[in-house]
Short mmCIF file of all heavy atoms in Angstrom, two decimals:
data_model
loop_
_atom_site.label_atom_id
_atom_site.label_comp_id
_atom_site.label_asym_id
_atom_site.label_seq_id
_atom_site.Cartn_x
_atom_site.Cartn_y
_atom_site.Cartn_z
N HIS A 10 -32.41 14.03 0.31
CA HIS A 10 -30.95 13.88 0.09
C HIS A 10 -30.70 12.97 -1.09
O HIS A 10 -30.89 11.76 -1.02
CB HIS A 10 -30.29 13.33 1.34
CG HIS A 10 -28.83 13.39 1.31
ND1 HIS A 10 -28.09 14.28 2.10
CD2 HIS A 10 -27.90 12.71 0.64
CE1 HIS A 10 -26.82 14.14 1.91
NE2 HIS A 10 -26.65 13.17 1.03
N ALA A 11 -30.19 13.58 -2.17
CA ALA A 11 -29.77 12.79 -3.35
C ALA A 11 -28.59 13.52 -3.95
O ALA A 11 -28.24 14.64 -3.57
CB ALA A 11 -30.92 12.66 -4.35
N HIS A 12 -27.90 12.79 -4.85
CA HIS A 12 -26.80 13.40 -5.60
C HIS A 12 -27.08 13.21 -7.08
O HIS A 12 -26.73 12.21 -7.67
CB HIS A 12 -25.48 12.74 -5.23
CG HIS A 12 -25.15 12.82 -3.77
ND1 HIS A 12 -24.64 13.98 -3.19
CD2 HIS A 12 -25.31 11.96 -2.74
CE1 HIS A 12 -24.48 13.77 -1.90
NE2 HIS A 12 -24.90 12.55 -1.60
N ALA A 40 -27.60 17.32 -3.14
CA ALA A 40 -26.57 17.86 -2.24
C ALA A 40 -25.21 17.84 -2.92
O ALA A 40 -24.76 16.78 -3.40
CB ALA A 40 -26.54 17.04 -0.96
N THR A 42 -21.06 18.04 -2.86
CA THR A 42 -20.03 17.46 -1.98
C THR A 42 -18.70 18.21 -2.07
O THR A 42 -17.76 17.96 -1.33
CB THR A 42 -19.78 15.98 -2.33
OG1 THR A 42 -19.42 15.88 -3.71
CG2 THR A 42 -20.99 15.14 -2.05
N HIS A 67 -18.11 17.85 1.50
CA HIS A 67 -18.21 16.56 2.17
C HIS A 67 -16.90 16.24 2.91
O HIS A 67 -15.84 16.63 2.44
CB HIS A 67 -18.49 15.53 1.09
CG HIS A 67 -18.86 14.18 1.59
ND1 HIS A 67 -17.95 13.26 2.08
CD2 HIS A 67 -20.10 13.56 1.64
CE1 HIS A 67 -18.60 12.18 2.42
NE2 HIS A 67 -19.90 12.31 2.19
N GLU A 96 -23.58 18.44 1.70
CA GLU A 96 -23.41 17.78 2.94
C GLU A 96 -22.04 18.06 3.52
O GLU A 96 -21.04 18.20 2.83
CB GLU A 96 -23.69 16.30 2.83
CG GLU A 96 -22.83 15.49 1.89
CD GLU A 96 -23.26 14.02 1.94
OE1 GLU A 96 -23.18 13.39 3.00
OE2 GLU A 96 -23.67 13.51 0.92
N HIS A 132 -23.36 14.51 7.58
CA HIS A 132 -22.92 13.14 7.28
C HIS A 132 -22.04 12.69 8.44
O HIS A 132 -21.11 13.40 8.85
CB HIS A 132 -22.10 13.20 5.96
CG HIS A 132 -21.44 11.91 5.62
ND1 HIS A 132 -21.90 11.03 4.63
CD2 HIS A 132 -20.31 11.33 6.11
CE1 HIS A 132 -21.06 10.01 4.57
NE2 HIS A 132 -20.11 10.14 5.41
N HIS A 160 -28.26 13.00 8.22
CA HIS A 160 -28.74 12.24 7.11
C HIS A 160 -28.20 10.78 7.16
O HIS A 160 -27.22 10.53 7.86
CB HIS A 160 -28.40 12.94 5.76
CG HIS A 160 -27.29 12.29 4.98
ND1 HIS A 160 -27.56 11.34 4.03
CD2 HIS A 160 -25.97 12.49 4.99
CE1 HIS A 160 -26.41 10.95 3.51
NE2 HIS A 160 -25.42 11.63 4.06
N ASP A 209 -30.31 9.19 -0.92
CA ASP A 209 -28.86 9.24 -1.10
C ASP A 209 -28.49 8.67 -2.49
O ASP A 209 -27.39 8.18 -2.71
CB ASP A 209 -28.08 8.53 0.00
CG ASP A 209 -26.66 9.11 0.26
OD1 ASP A 209 -26.36 10.19 -0.36
OD2 ASP A 209 -25.90 8.53 1.00
N TYR A 212 -26.49 6.26 -4.43
CA TYR A 212 -25.94 5.22 -3.50
C TYR A 212 -27.10 4.57 -2.72
O TYR A 212 -28.21 4.99 -2.75
CB TYR A 212 -24.97 5.92 -2.52
CG TYR A 212 -24.01 6.83 -3.23
CD1 TYR A 212 -24.06 8.20 -3.04
CD2 TYR A 212 -23.06 6.33 -4.13
CE1 TYR A 212 -23.18 9.06 -3.72
CE2 TYR A 212 -22.18 7.17 -4.81
CZ TYR A 212 -22.25 8.53 -4.60
OH TYR A 212 -21.39 9.39 -5.25
ZN1 ZN B 2 -24.95 11.98 0.38
#
Side-chain angles (χ1 to χ4, degrees):
H10 191 107
H12 301 281
T42 55
H67 191 282
E96 61 178 299
H132 172 105
H160 108 89
D209 209 8
Y212 315 111

